[in-house]
Structures are given as structure tokens and as C-alpha cells.
Amino acid sequence: ETGVTQTPRHLVMGMTNKKSLKCEQHLGHNAMYWYKQSAKKPLELMFVYNFKEQTENNSVPSRFSPECPNSSHLFLHLHTLQPEDSALYLCASSQERPGGLGDTQYFGPGTRLTVL
Amino acid sequence: QKEVEQNSGPLSVPEGAIASLNCTYSDRGSQSFFWYRQYSGKSPELIMFIYSNGDKEDGRFTAQLNKASQYVSLLIRDSQPSDSATYLCAVRRGQNFVFGPGTRLSVLP
């Protein structure tokens, strides 16, 4: 266990559904991330939150909507997804410090999403 | 050119041998470099990080960084079947982490 939890672990949804993924970190970190991992593709960084402020949004379609109410919780709201959005969605957290070159990310177990 | 490149493998080594995993990156502004291990169906777990040129050792693992050549490697000594996994190289610049596609390692008993 890394101290980062994600729920649900598995999710099947239709293209017209609305669902949310939840991530919680118990490490006291100040930054949280959403990644997408598709088969045969590298991990793709989707969103970064630092001190609850979104600092990165790597050209992610608007059908994915992140929310970070505090430094311990991160959500990914999903609506009108496409079958190609089926993937493993990973949450990670890190403690960002000035000049902290070794600040690393700790990953949650992921949510396996299937869009029908 | 892909930002972070790795040989996809599979790389097969006999038990007890040294496994050598390589990674190249394109962004010269990259500041730190990470190796993660990912078992099938699991999330990535950190093995080690390095940000200074040279070698860094941690138990059976040694990371090597050459910023001039934009090259980072991971050596695994005395490879065990439990080391069989996909190894991900990650490169960090600021708060942006870029991952390579991973190299699948198979350690044969």
C-alpha cells in the first residue's frame, strides 16, 4: 500500500452515463495527478494539481473534468465518454518542495474503466 | 521524436544474471529521472530516482545517468524471477512527468 487509494477499482459505463472517479492520499502531500494508461501506450499525464490549483492540463478532452476540493482528495468526473477512453486511470501524489529534484510520485492502485 | 524512449522488449535474462535496461530522452531541460516497476495489472511502484550524472546504487539496483548523452539506465544485479515486470523510465521537468513505454523484463528460473 502506497497511501494513495482509488475508488472504484473497476467501472463499466455506457457512453451516455456520468460517473466520477475518486482518489484520496494519506501521505500529507501537496500535489496530485491523474494519468491514463492505455494498452500498448505510455502513461499519459492528464491533470496536475498543486496546492489545490490546477497547474497542468495536457490537452485533455472536456468530457474529463477534474476536481480537487482539498490537498488530500482528487476527483475525475466523466461524461459522454467514448469506447477509446477505456483504460486504467491512475492517481498519484507527491510532496513538492522548492528545488526538490527527488520529489517523486506515489501511485494509487488505479481504476479500470470500460466504456461500452 | 518521442520524448522518452525505451526498448519494449521483452528482455529475457537467466536467474542470477545482470539485467540492463536503457532509456533515452529528448528534453535537455529534464531535471530528474525515475525508474518504476509495474507488475501486470498493478500500478507503478518507485524503484529509485537519480538527478546527478554518474551512478547511484540501492541494493541490487544501480541507476546510471549521462545528461550529455541524454541517457539513463537501470542495472539489476542477481536478477530474480520476482523481478519479472515492466520497467518504466520517467523524466521530470518542473512538475511535468513524462513516461516511456516501458521495457518488459523476464527473468528465467
Side-chain angles (χ1 to χ4, degrees):
Chain A
E1 293 295 327
T2 62
V4 182
T5 59
Q6 290 186 244
T7 55
R9 296 292 304 276
H10 300 271
L11 177 63
V12 179
M13 60 187 289
M15 289 191 285
T16 58
N17 292 157
K18 289 184 180 181
K19 297 286 185 183
S20 296
L21 310 184
K22 179 182 176 181
C23 175
E24 182 174 1
Q25 58 95 1
H26 311 272
L27 302 168
H29 288 167
N30 57 16
M32 298 186 76
Y33 311 76
W34 279 118
Y35 284 89
K36 176 183 178 182
Q37 188 173 38
S38 305
K40 306 208 185 286
K41 291 179 69 175
L43 271 169
E44 299 172 62
L45 180 63
M46 300 174 72
F47 300 104
V48 180
Y49 278 84
N50 198 329
F51 293 101
K52 301 187 299 178
E53 298 294 323
Q54 185 175 309
T55 57
E56 295 284 342
N57 176 347
N58 287 352
S59 303
V60 179
S62 60
R63 57 185 183 269
F64 295 92
S65 175
E67 178 190 1
C68 188
N70 55 61
S71 58
S72 299
H73 293 85
L74 184 64
F75 295 89
L76 188 63
H77 303 300
L78 316 171
H79 65 98
T80 59
L81 294 192
Q82 304 298 311
E84 60 264 30
D85 296 322
S86 298
L88 179 68
Y89 288 84
L90 290 161
C91 173
S93 72
S94 67
Q95 180 62 27
E96 296 300 301
R97 295 164 291 186
L101 295 177
D103 293 340
T104 190
Q105 297 179 330
Y106 295 89
F107 285 86
T111 295
R112 174 69 62 186
L113 173 67
T114 302
V115 182
L116 301 177
Chain B
Q1 182 186 9
K2 295 179 182 175
E3 293 188 64
V4 180
E5 298 199 51
Q6 297 180 255
N7 189 325
S8 62
L11 172 66
S12 295
V13 299
E15 184 174 356
I18 295 176
S20 178
L21 304 162
N22 304 317
C23 172
T24 58
Y25 60 95
S26 60
D27 183 357
R28 286 197 171 272
S30 300
Q31 297 163 301
S32 46
F33 309 85
F34 302 81
W35 283 100
Y36 285 84
R37 176 175 61 198
Q38 187 173 23
Y39 293 111
S40 180
K42 302 292 187 181
S43 59
E45 54 179 326
L46 180 71
I47 297 175
M48 61 192 307
F49 65 87
I50 186 168
Y51 51 81
S52 298
N53 276 325
D55 295 359
K56 180 181 179 182
E57 186 175 319
D58 184 0
R60 296 187 296 115
F61 299 97
T62 299
Q64 298 175 316
L65 175 62
N66 184 326
K67 290 186 178 180
S69 300
Q70 295 175 250
Y71 173 91
V72 58
S73 67
L74 180 70
L75 300 178
I76 306 175
R77 288 181 300 282
D78 188 25
S79 296
Q80 302 297 309
S82 58
D83 294 326
S84 298
T86 297
Y87 288 80
L88 305 176
C89 172
V91 173
R92 174 177 178 158
R93 179 175 184 164
Q95 215 171 337
N96 193 16
F97 285 78
V98 180
F99 282 78
T103 296
R104 193 154 53 94
L105 173 66
S106 179
V107 181
L108 308 173

